[in-house]
Amino acid sequence: MRVDALNHVSQVYQPSSAKKVGKADDVKKQDAYEISQSARDYQVAKKAVSEAADVREDKVAYYKEALASGTYNVSSQEIAEKIVSRCFDIQL
């Protein structure tokens, strides 16, 4: 066994000298983020939907009044067409 070869191998595994790095105070970078245009559009749409009323009170009042007075009539033909169109995904 060669002893001088062992010295060369042990030098490979020794820690290298530390490099001098500038202070953190010298580097004045700040984190930044950007929101894409589609994300901004999504935020605007989401806000508009959340602010909108869930129930259209004017339509509810109209149909309540029509039902109470007996003037709300829907033909059985219209009801049947809606059922068929929704069940079979067709337009009549």
Side-chain angles (χ1 to χ4, degrees):
M1 176 177 192
R2 288 181 45 200
V3 176
D4 61 335
L6 184 61
N7 287 335
H8 291 298
V9 172
S10 66
Q11 289 175 355
V12 171
Y13 291 107
Q14 289 182 0
S16 62
S17 61
K19 295 179 183 177
K20 192 168 189 174
V21 180
K23 294 181 180 179
D25 294 338
D26 294 342
V27 180
K28 296 194 179 195
K29 291 186 179 179
Q30 293 182 345
D31 291 338
Y33 65 92
E34 291 183 25
I35 299 175
S36 68
Q37 184 61 41
S38 61
R40 280 187 235 140
D41 294 342
Y42 177 76
Q43 286 178 337
V44 169
K46 187 175 178 183
K47 184 178 179 184
V49 168
S50 68
E51 291 175 354
D54 290 339
V55 179
R56 294 181 57 186
E57 297 293 334
D58 56 335
K59 283 200 167 214
V60 171
Y62 169 77
Y63 287 116
K64 273 186 180 180
E65 185 179 322
L67 284 170
S69 66
T71 58
Y72 183 73
N73 294 319
V74 179
S75 72
S76 58
Q77 180 68 28
E78 289 178 17
I79 294 172
E81 286 177 1
K82 288 287 185 179
I83 291 171
V84 169
S85 68
R86 287 193 184 196
C87 289
F88 298 109
D89 289 330
I90 57 173
Q91 294 290 333
L92 296 177

